[in-house]
Amino acid sequence: MNKKNICIIYGGKSGEHEISIRSASSVVKTLDENKYNKILIGIDKTGRWYLQPEAEESLRKTGILTLTTDEARKIVIIPSEGFFADHKKLDIDFVMPVLHGTNGEDGTIQGLLELMDIPYSGAGVLGSSVGMDKEITKKIWASEGLETVPFKSLNLEVFSDDAFPLNDFLNGLEKEYGYPLFVKPVRAGSSVGISRAENPEELKAALPKAFQFDSRIMIEPAIDAREIECSVIGNLTAAAYQTGEIAPTHEFYDYEAKYIDENGARLIIPANLDTETSEKIREIAVKAYVSAGIEGMARVDFFIDRRNGKILLNEVNTIPGFTSISMFPKLCEAGGLEYSDMLDKLIELGEERIKLNRKLDFNI
Ligand SMILES: Nc1ncnc2c1ncn2[C@@H]1O[C@H](COP(=O)(O)OP(=O)(O)O)[C@@H](O)[C@H]1O
Ligand SMILES: [Mg+2]
């Protein structure tokens, strides 16, 4: 069998650069050497792309990929031809973007790969950009009759206008939702820019913090909730794997709890739910995924309101954390799909999609 040349792209300009390196390290370690040659491209924090050394010493020694920025190995792209480094064309059959957040999970790199006619893993342009945008996602879900936490959004341009009646806006939020409130950037991840506000002072301080990461923010009532996540894989016919629960030891599942504090959260797999609830969640997860136009994979995140048991969709992640101890691969495994088989499947799904696209004929 001919080995496929899989290109793993990692790092990136987003705030989740380090997380991406960790996710990619797990992917590179797990991809079956008998089936695949691995080509590594690292994107540094300023957005420059570099071909990485083949034999990744550091991966073998420390388990974590490094990211070298050798100018001679800078990536040059010719859209109709492919990737080049050091004047040589890279022989790439398939790309796995293992990038979180901005420029990785938001449809931009997916668009580049579409232009280049290279198959890739995960959601396409539309599903990626929808999934990145918490406001648009919730609007789509609402139109499908899927329940979410209510919200109000605010645009930086409106907020910055001297005529904007800030106090009326804040009073309106207080009246409609009460405290505590959550303030978050519309297009971010890893809890960056998110605050929980208990009073008007905290609410006021939370707005610019969220605006640091996006020109659109949203404010929603805090739900006293259990946090449940579900892995979904597939193109048009998607399947939900197991459900898991995140039990943060912090006030909420903030950046520290996610990545810095080793004891920041417990992952409970499968989630301790009765069969009916977990079936319901898996069913909603698939509907949420398909209606948002997602293909390939996603982790769909839920709240269960402790006061009334209501299941509320929170958000979707089209390139979820991928380390071997991350929720997404763990939930697949718990649902009977081993990590390495899951990677094979993501490659198959990307190839399936491009085959369909290549059948299209744009001549009229
Ligand atoms: N409305 C809410 N009620 C309660 N907790 C919330 C709410 N919104 C966000 N959170 C908390 O903040 C965390 C991060 O918010 P989330 O919307 O998932 O953004 P991110 O994309 O950064 O993960 C959640 O996992 C949860 O702990
Ligand atoms: Mg989240």
Side-chain angles (χ1 to χ4, degrees), residues 134 149 182 184 188-192 194 220-223 227 252-253 258 303 314-315 317:
K134 292 185 168 76
V149 182
F182 265 87
K184 49 178 109 167
S190 290
S191 298
V192 298
I194 300 190
E220 47 187 57
I223 307 295
E227 298 195 47
F252 69 97
Y253 197 28
K258 283 180 181 173
F303 293 134
N314 177 32
E315 60 146 349
N317 292 279

mmCIF file of all heavy atoms in Angstrom, residues 134 149 182 184 188-192 194 220-223 227 252-253 258 303 314-315 317, ligand 1:
data_model
loop_
_atom_site.group_PDB
_atom_site.id
_atom_site.type_symbol
_atom_site.label_atom_id
_atom_site.label_comp_id
_atom_site.label_asym_id
_atom_site.label_seq_id
_atom_site.Cartn_x
_atom_site.Cartn_y
_atom_site.Cartn_z
ATOM 1 N N LYS A 134 -20.289 32.512 17.869
ATOM 2 C CA LYS A 134 -21.285 32.020 18.835
ATOM 3 C C LYS A 134 -22.665 32.635 18.598
ATOM 4 O O LYS A 134 -23.682 32.004 18.855
ATOM 5 C CB LYS A 134 -20.824 32.323 20.261
ATOM 6 C CG LYS A 134 -19.593 31.518 20.683
ATOM 7 C CD LYS A 134 -19.257 31.767 22.151
ATOM 8 C CE LYS A 134 -18.241 30.793 22.706
ATOM 9 N NZ LYS A 134 -16.850 31.047 22.285
ATOM 10 N N VAL A 149 -28.911 29.358 25.711
ATOM 11 C CA VAL A 149 -29.018 30.424 26.714
ATOM 12 C C VAL A 149 -29.306 31.729 25.960
ATOM 13 O O VAL A 149 -28.647 32.009 24.956
ATOM 14 C CB VAL A 149 -27.686 30.563 27.502
ATOM 15 C CG1 VAL A 149 -27.810 31.632 28.581
ATOM 16 C CG2 VAL A 149 -27.266 29.226 28.101
ATOM 17 N N PHE A 182 -22.736 36.493 32.183
ATOM 18 C CA PHE A 182 -21.499 36.146 31.490
ATOM 19 C C PHE A 182 -21.287 37.078 30.313
ATOM 20 O O PHE A 182 -22.228 37.369 29.569
ATOM 21 C CB PHE A 182 -21.537 34.692 30.992
ATOM 22 C CG PHE A 182 -20.886 33.753 31.961
ATOM 23 C CD1 PHE A 182 -21.613 33.203 33.001
ATOM 24 C CD2 PHE A 182 -19.537 33.450 31.863
ATOM 25 C CE1 PHE A 182 -21.007 32.364 33.924
ATOM 26 C CE2 PHE A 182 -18.913 32.627 32.780
ATOM 27 C CZ PHE A 182 -19.651 32.073 33.811
ATOM 28 N N LYS A 184 -18.832 37.597 26.959
ATOM 29 C CA LYS A 184 -17.819 36.880 26.166
ATOM 30 C C LYS A 184 -17.659 37.445 24.771
ATOM 31 O O LYS A 184 -18.599 38.018 24.213
ATOM 32 C CB LYS A 184 -18.153 35.387 26.104
ATOM 33 C CG LYS A 184 -19.585 35.027 25.730
ATOM 34 C CD LYS A 184 -19.776 33.511 25.656
ATOM 35 C CE LYS A 184 -20.611 32.957 26.781
ATOM 36 N NZ LYS A 184 -21.062 31.587 26.604
ATOM 37 N N ALA A 188 -14.153 33.729 19.842
ATOM 38 C CA ALA A 188 -12.900 33.407 20.540
ATOM 39 C C ALA A 188 -13.046 31.989 21.065
ATOM 40 O O ALA A 188 -13.961 31.263 20.661
ATOM 41 C CB ALA A 188 -12.633 34.396 21.658
ATOM 42 N N GLY A 189 -12.158 31.573 21.924
ATOM 43 C CA GLY A 189 -12.234 30.231 22.467
ATOM 44 C C GLY A 189 -11.344 30.130 23.682
ATOM 45 O O GLY A 189 -10.722 31.128 24.083
ATOM 46 N N SER A 190 -11.289 28.943 24.282
ATOM 47 C CA SER A 190 -10.440 28.709 25.454
ATOM 48 C C SER A 190 -10.761 29.661 26.607
ATOM 49 O O SER A 190 -9.914 29.929 27.447
ATOM 50 C CB SER A 190 -8.952 28.846 25.106
ATOM 51 O OG SER A 190 -8.560 27.770 24.307
ATOM 52 N N SER A 191 -11.961 30.200 26.597
ATOM 53 C CA SER A 191 -12.441 31.107 27.652
ATOM 54 C C SER A 191 -11.708 32.443 27.685
ATOM 55 O O SER A 191 -11.862 33.196 28.645
ATOM 56 C CB SER A 191 -12.363 30.452 29.043
ATOM 57 O OG SER A 191 -13.172 29.320 29.089
ATOM 58 N N VAL A 192 -10.922 32.770 26.650
ATOM 59 C CA VAL A 192 -10.231 34.061 26.682
ATOM 60 C C VAL A 192 -11.254 35.196 26.561
ATOM 61 O O VAL A 192 -12.228 35.094 25.827
ATOM 62 C CB VAL A 192 -9.128 34.221 25.597
ATOM 63 C CG1 VAL A 192 -8.020 33.202 25.781
ATOM 64 C CG2 VAL A 192 -9.702 34.140 24.201
ATOM 65 N N ILE A 194 -13.455 36.063 28.638
ATOM 66 C CA ILE A 194 -14.756 35.794 29.270
ATOM 67 C C ILE A 194 -14.735 36.186 30.749
ATOM 68 O O ILE A 194 -13.782 35.901 31.455
ATOM 69 C CB ILE A 194 -15.139 34.294 29.139
ATOM 70 C CG1 ILE A 194 -15.233 33.918 27.652
ATOM 71 C CG2 ILE A 194 -16.436 33.991 29.880
ATOM 72 C CD1 ILE A 194 -15.825 32.556 27.382
ATOM 73 N N GLU A 220 -24.884 37.156 28.510
ATOM 74 C CA GLU A 220 -25.983 36.222 28.775
ATOM 75 C C GLU A 220 -26.106 35.934 30.261
ATOM 76 O O GLU A 220 -25.138 36.123 31.009
ATOM 77 C CB GLU A 220 -25.791 34.935 27.962
ATOM 78 C CG GLU A 220 -24.402 34.328 27.995
ATOM 79 C CD GLU A 220 -24.223 33.155 27.031
ATOM 80 O OE1 GLU A 220 -24.435 33.324 25.820
ATOM 81 O OE2 GLU A 220 -23.874 32.060 27.514
ATOM 82 N N PRO A 221 -27.273 35.491 30.693
ATOM 83 C CA PRO A 221 -27.410 35.166 32.114
ATOM 84 C C PRO A 221 -26.533 33.967 32.464
ATOM 85 O O PRO A 221 -26.373 33.068 31.653
ATOM 86 C CB PRO A 221 -28.894 34.804 32.256
ATOM 87 C CG PRO A 221 -29.355 34.454 30.888
ATOM 88 C CD PRO A 221 -28.512 35.256 29.942
ATOM 89 N N ALA A 222 -25.965 33.965 33.655
ATOM 90 C CA ALA A 222 -25.196 32.804 34.109
ATOM 91 C C ALA A 222 -26.179 31.701 34.468
ATOM 92 O O ALA A 222 -27.167 31.938 35.163
ATOM 93 C CB ALA A 222 -24.364 33.177 35.320
ATOM 94 N N ILE A 223 -25.914 30.536 33.959
ATOM 95 C CA ILE A 223 -26.760 29.387 34.276
ATOM 96 C C ILE A 223 -26.032 28.556 35.316
ATOM 97 O O ILE A 223 -24.832 28.283 35.168
ATOM 98 C CB ILE A 223 -26.994 28.523 33.010
ATOM 99 C CG1 ILE A 223 -27.521 29.376 31.846
ATOM 100 C CG2 ILE A 223 -27.915 27.348 33.296
ATOM 101 C CD1 ILE A 223 -28.874 29.987 32.047
ATOM 102 N N GLU A 227 -21.891 20.963 32.959
ATOM 103 C CA GLU A 227 -21.380 21.157 31.591
ATOM 104 C C GLU A 227 -21.132 19.794 30.951
ATOM 105 O O GLU A 227 -20.316 19.014 31.435
ATOM 106 C CB GLU A 227 -20.100 21.991 31.616
ATOM 107 C CG GLU A 227 -20.350 23.387 32.177
ATOM 108 C CD GLU A 227 -19.214 24.352 31.883
ATOM 109 O OE1 GLU A 227 -18.746 24.414 30.731
ATOM 110 O OE2 GLU A 227 -18.794 25.043 32.825
ATOM 111 N N PHE A 252 -15.846 29.099 37.118
ATOM 112 C CA PHE A 252 -16.344 28.553 35.852
ATOM 113 C C PHE A 252 -15.173 27.935 35.120
ATOM 114 O O PHE A 252 -14.045 27.926 35.639
ATOM 115 C CB PHE A 252 -17.103 29.615 35.026
ATOM 116 C CG PHE A 252 -16.268 30.728 34.458
ATOM 117 C CD1 PHE A 252 -15.820 30.664 33.143
ATOM 118 C CD2 PHE A 252 -15.956 31.858 35.208
ATOM 119 C CE1 PHE A 252 -15.067 31.703 32.603
ATOM 120 C CE2 PHE A 252 -15.211 32.901 34.670
ATOM 121 C CZ PHE A 252 -14.756 32.819 33.359
ATOM 122 N N TYR A 253 -15.417 27.396 33.939
ATOM 123 C CA TYR A 253 -14.374 26.678 33.208
ATOM 124 C C TYR A 253 -13.518 27.710 32.461
ATOM 125 O O TYR A 253 -13.614 27.864 31.260
ATOM 126 C CB TYR A 253 -15.057 25.691 32.257
ATOM 127 C CG TYR A 253 -14.167 24.590 31.724
ATOM 128 C CD1 TYR A 253 -13.072 24.117 32.441
ATOM 129 C CD2 TYR A 253 -14.451 23.995 30.505
ATOM 130 C CE1 TYR A 253 -12.279 23.098 31.947
ATOM 131 C CE2 TYR A 253 -13.662 22.974 29.994
ATOM 132 C CZ TYR A 253 -12.573 22.537 30.730
ATOM 133 O OH TYR A 253 -11.799 21.529 30.226
ATOM 134 N N LYS A 258 -8.763 25.304 32.306
ATOM 135 C CA LYS A 258 -8.614 24.486 31.108
ATOM 136 C C LYS A 258 -7.175 24.038 30.914
ATOM 137 O O LYS A 258 -6.917 22.895 30.559
ATOM 138 C CB LYS A 258 -9.072 25.271 29.864
ATOM 139 C CG LYS A 258 -10.586 25.338 29.745
ATOM 140 C CD LYS A 258 -11.039 26.116 28.507
ATOM 141 C CE LYS A 258 -12.563 26.167 28.457
ATOM 142 N NZ LYS A 258 -13.097 27.014 27.397
ATOM 143 N N PHE A 303 -25.178 22.845 28.381
ATOM 144 C CA PHE A 303 -25.405 23.046 29.813
ATOM 145 C C PHE A 303 -26.652 22.235 30.172
ATOM 146 O O PHE A 303 -27.592 22.157 29.384
ATOM 147 C CB PHE A 303 -25.724 24.519 30.116
ATOM 148 C CG PHE A 303 -24.564 25.458 29.880
ATOM 149 C CD1 PHE A 303 -24.769 26.651 29.185
ATOM 150 C CD2 PHE A 303 -23.300 25.187 30.367
ATOM 151 C CE1 PHE A 303 -23.720 27.547 28.973
ATOM 152 C CE2 PHE A 303 -22.250 26.075 30.157
ATOM 153 C CZ PHE A 303 -22.459 27.252 29.463
ATOM 154 N N ASN A 314 -24.695 25.113 24.314
ATOM 155 C CA ASN A 314 -23.839 26.272 24.586
ATOM 156 C C ASN A 314 -23.081 26.672 23.333
ATOM 157 O O ASN A 314 -23.296 27.735 22.789
ATOM 158 C CB ASN A 314 -22.879 25.996 25.742
ATOM 159 C CG ASN A 314 -21.926 27.165 25.980
ATOM 160 O OD1 ASN A 314 -22.304 28.326 25.763
ATOM 161 N ND2 ASN A 314 -20.705 26.884 26.373
ATOM 162 N N GLU A 315 -22.198 25.812 22.860
ATOM 163 C CA GLU A 315 -21.393 26.200 21.698
ATOM 164 C C GLU A 315 -20.865 24.947 21.018
ATOM 165 O O GLU A 315 -21.010 23.830 21.514
ATOM 166 C CB GLU A 315 -20.234 27.095 22.133
ATOM 167 C CG GLU A 315 -19.302 26.411 23.116
ATOM 168 C CD GLU A 315 -17.843 26.813 22.960
ATOM 169 O OE1 GLU A 315 -17.490 27.459 21.962
ATOM 170 O OE2 GLU A 315 -17.048 26.421 23.824
ATOM 171 N N ASN A 317 -17.328 23.397 18.840
ATOM 172 C CA ASN A 317 -15.905 23.584 18.524
ATOM 173 C C ASN A 317 -15.550 22.682 17.357
ATOM 174 O O ASN A 317 -15.613 21.457 17.483
ATOM 175 C CB ASN A 317 -15.046 23.205 19.730
ATOM 176 C CG ASN A 317 -15.244 24.176 20.876
ATOM 177 O OD1 ASN A 317 -14.666 25.244 20.894
ATOM 178 N ND2 ASN A 317 -16.110 23.816 21.810
HETATM 179 N N1 LIG B 1 -24.237 31.511 30.292
HETATM 180 C C1 LIG B 1 -23.337 30.841 31.016
HETATM 181 N N2 LIG B 1 -23.671 30.341 32.232
HETATM 182 C C2 LIG B 1 -22.770 29.675 32.986
HETATM 183 N N3 LIG B 1 -21.514 29.452 32.630
HETATM 184 C C3 LIG B 1 -21.096 29.936 31.442
HETATM 185 C C4 LIG B 1 -21.995 30.630 30.570
HETATM 186 N N4 LIG B 1 -21.312 30.956 29.449
HETATM 187 C C5 LIG B 1 -20.055 30.499 29.626
HETATM 188 N N5 LIG B 1 -19.916 29.881 30.815
HETATM 189 C C6 LIG B 1 -18.679 29.294 31.385
HETATM 190 O O1 LIG B 1 -17.562 29.772 30.639
HETATM 191 C C7 LIG B 1 -16.919 28.695 29.939
HETATM 192 C C8 LIG B 1 -16.447 29.155 28.581
HETATM 193 O O2 LIG B 1 -17.526 29.673 27.824
HETATM 194 P P1 LIG B 1 -17.831 29.238 26.348
HETATM 195 O O3 LIG B 1 -19.053 29.940 25.915
HETATM 196 O O4 LIG B 1 -17.847 27.760 26.271
HETATM 197 O O5 LIG B 1 -16.596 29.844 25.531
HETATM 198 P P2 LIG B 1 -15.227 29.201 24.963
HETATM 199 O O6 LIG B 1 -15.419 29.140 23.480
HETATM 200 O O7 LIG B 1 -14.175 30.174 25.328
HETATM 201 O O8 LIG B 1 -15.062 27.847 25.579
HETATM 202 C C9 LIG B 1 -17.967 27.596 29.898
HETATM 203 O O9 LIG B 1 -17.358 26.338 29.769
HETATM 204 C C10 LIG B 1 -18.649 27.794 31.239
HETATM 205 O O10 LIG B 1 -17.862 27.294 32.314
#
